[in-house]
Amino acid sequence: MKKLLSPILLIGTFALSAAGHLLHWNSTLEFVLSALSVIFVAGFLGRATESVAHYAGQRLGGFLNATFGNAAELIIAVLLVKEGLFDMVKASLTGSIIGNLLLVLGLSLFAGGLKFKIQRFNVPLAGMNGSLMIVAVIALFVPAVFLNTHSIEGLQIDTLSLIVAGILIAAYLAWLLFSLVTHKEYLADPAELSAASAGAAAAGSVLPADGAETASGAPAHAEEHAEEPAWSKGRSILYLVIATVMVAFVSEWLVGTLETFTVQFGLSELFVGAFVVAIVGNAAEHSAAIMLAMKNKIGASVEIAVGSSLQISLFVAPVLIFVSFFMGGLSGTMDIVFSTIEIVAIAVSVFVAKSIIQDGETNWYEGLLLIAVYIILGVSFYMVH
C-alpha cells in the first residue's frame, strides 16, 4: 500500500496543480496545490538522488542531492528575476541558506540523534565547510557596508556585484575541484573509509570480530550489508531527470501565484521569500537529509544541508546576478547588496551551524538548538512589514 500511495500522491498533486494553472482556479487554491506538488516532486527527486548516491558515494551523492535539490530554488529565482522581483529573490536566497543550515540540518541531527545517540562525520570537511560559509558572509557583508558608508552610484554597484559574483563562482568551482578530485580521500566520510577498509580486510581474509564497530560507530556487519538502492543506476538517473523537469513546471506555477497570495494574506515579500518559498523549494533536501541521517549516514546529511547552503551562496546567488545582467530589461541588474536583517540572519545561521558541526560529532540536542534558532528568525521575519 505504501509503495502505491507515494506515486499516486506524486502524480495526483502534479495533475491537480497543472489543472489549476491551465484552468485559472482560485489563486490561493493554486498556490496550495503547487506547493504540495513541489513537496511531493521534491521527495521523488530526493529518493532518486539517494539511489544515485549509492552508486556515486556519500560525498558525491550529497553534492548531487544538493544540486538537484536546489533546482526548484534556482528555477523559482530565475522566474522571479525575470519579473524584476529582486527583493523576493534575495529573501528566498536568504531563506534557503538559513533553512538548510538551521531547519534541514537541525531536523537531520535531531532525527538521527534520537536513533543513534552520537553520530560522527569527517572533521576536516566540517572545518572547510565552516570556512567557506564565513567567506559567503563576508561576500554579502562587505558590499552592504561599502554602500551604506560611501556614495556609490548604480553603475558602480552593478560592477561591484558582478565582480564579487565572479569571484564567488570561481571559489566554488575551485572547492569542487578540491573536495571531489584533489583531496577526495582527505574529506571522505568515516563510514566510507571504514567500508573500504572492511572490503580490503575481507579481500585479505581478515574479517573484523563479530559485533566490532567501524569508524562510523555502526557494527561492521551492518556496514557490509548496507541497504540496497530502490532502483538500478540507469533508472535512478532517468528518474532524476524526470523529477527535475517536473520541478521546473510546478515551480513556474507556484511563482505565478505568489504575488496574489502575499497580498491576500497581508504578508511581506521578505517573509514569503525567506520562509514560504524557501521551505517549499528546499523540500528535496528536507526529506533526503533526514532519511539519510536516520540511516546513520550523517556525513551525507551534513553534505546535503551545508553543501546546499554553500551552493546557494557561492554559486546560485552569483549566477542569478549574471542572469539578471544578461536579461537586461527595465528592472536592471540585481545587485549583491542584501538588507541588514538578511545579512544578520545569514551570519547568525553560519555562526551557530559552524559551532555545532566543527567537532565532527552530533546529537539530537544540537539539532534541537538549530531548530530553535530557525523559529526565532522566522518569528522575527514575520513581524517585519
Side-chain angles (χ1 to χ4, degrees), residues 65-80:
N65 195 296
T67 301
F68 282 92
N70 282 331
E73 181 74 19
L74 179 60
I75 294 168
I76 291 173
V78 168
L79 293 171
L80 291 173

Side-chain angles (χ1 to χ4, degrees), residues 63 132 165-182 310-311 314-316 318-319:
F63 167 72
L132 283 168
I167 293 172
L168 291 178
I169 291 173
Y172 183 72
L173 294 177
W175 164 244
L176 294 183
L177 177 66
F178 178 86
S179 62
L180 297 177
V181 181
T182 64
L310 290 174
Q311 193 173 76
L314 300 179
F315 185 75
V316 174
V319 164

Side-chain angles (χ1 to χ4, degrees), residues 86-372:
F86 296 155
D87 289 340
M88 187 172 286
V89 172
K90 293 177 184 178
S92 69
L93 293 174
T94 300
S96 183
I97 293 170
I98 66 176
N100 280 297
L101 287 179
L102 299 178
L103 182 62
V104 178
L105 184 60
L107 288 174
S108 299
L109 302 190
F110 183 77
L114 287 178
K115 188 173 182 180
F116 295 101
K117 195 172 183 179
I118 299 293
Q119 293 181 297
R120 298 177 176 85
F121 56 97
N122 189 287
V123 176
L125 177 61
M128 291 296 298
N129 280 332
S131 299
L132 283 168
M133 287 189 291
I134 291 174
V135 170
V137 172
I138 292 172
L140 297 178
F141 178 75
V142 172
V145 170
F146 272 67
L147 177 64
N148 291 327
T149 57
H150 293 77
S151 178
I152 302 178
E153 299 177 357
L155 182 59
Q156 291 175 313
I157 295 175
D158 292 344
T159 303
L160 175 62
S161 298
L162 291 170
I163 292 174
V164 173
I167 293 172
L168 291 178
I169 291 173
Y172 183 72
L173 294 177
W175 164 244
L176 294 183
L177 177 66
F178 178 86
S179 62
L180 297 177
V181 181
T182 64
H183 287 69
K184 182 179 179 180
E185 292 76 16
Y186 174 65
L187 300 177
D189 190 80
E192 292 186 338
L193 293 176
S194 62
S197 299
S205 299
V206 180
L207 298 176
D210 185 36
E213 290 191 351
T214 64
S216 63
H221 56 77
E223 292 286 337
E224 294 170 5
H225 301 286
E227 182 180 343
E228 290 298 316
W231 306 301
S232 65
K233 183 177 181 181
R235 181 174 291 187
S236 299
I237 295 173
L238 175 62
Y239 285 166
L240 202 59
V241 174
I242 292 174
T244 304
V245 173
M246 293 175 72
V247 164
F249 279 104
V250 295
S251 297
E252 183 176 2
W253 302 335
L254 179 67
V255 168
T257 67
L258 281 179
E259 188 172 354
T260 303
F261 176 83
T262 302
V263 173
Q264 184 171 348
F265 289 91
L267 301 173
S268 66
E269 286 189 2
L270 184 64
F271 177 77
V272 172
F275 286 84
V276 178
V277 173
I279 289 175
V280 172
N282 288 324
E285 288 96 330
H286 297 171
S287 58
I290 295 170
M291 287 189 294
L292 287 168
M294 295 183 69
K295 294 176 182 177
N296 206 24
K297 298 180 179 178
I298 192 63
S301 292
V302 172
E303 184 64 25
I304 290 171
V306 179
S308 182
S309 293
L310 290 174
Q311 193 173 76
I312 289 291
S313 55
L314 300 179
F315 185 75
V316 174
V319 164
L320 288 173
I321 290 172
F322 279 101
V323 168
S324 68
F325 174 74
F326 288 114
M327 277 185 175
L330 298 176
S331 301
T333 301
M334 185 179 81
D335 59 53
I336 202 168
V337 181
F338 283 58
S339 68
T340 302
I341 189 173
E342 290 168 336
I343 295 174
V344 169
I346 293 172
V348 166
S349 304
V350 168
F351 172 76
V352 68
K354 184 179 185 301
S355 64
I356 283 177
I357 68 172
Q358 64 185 358
D359 61 352
E361 292 186 353
T362 64
N363 54 68
W364 69 264
Y365 186 68
E366 291 180 332
L368 187 64
L369 291 177
L370 291 174
I371 297 171

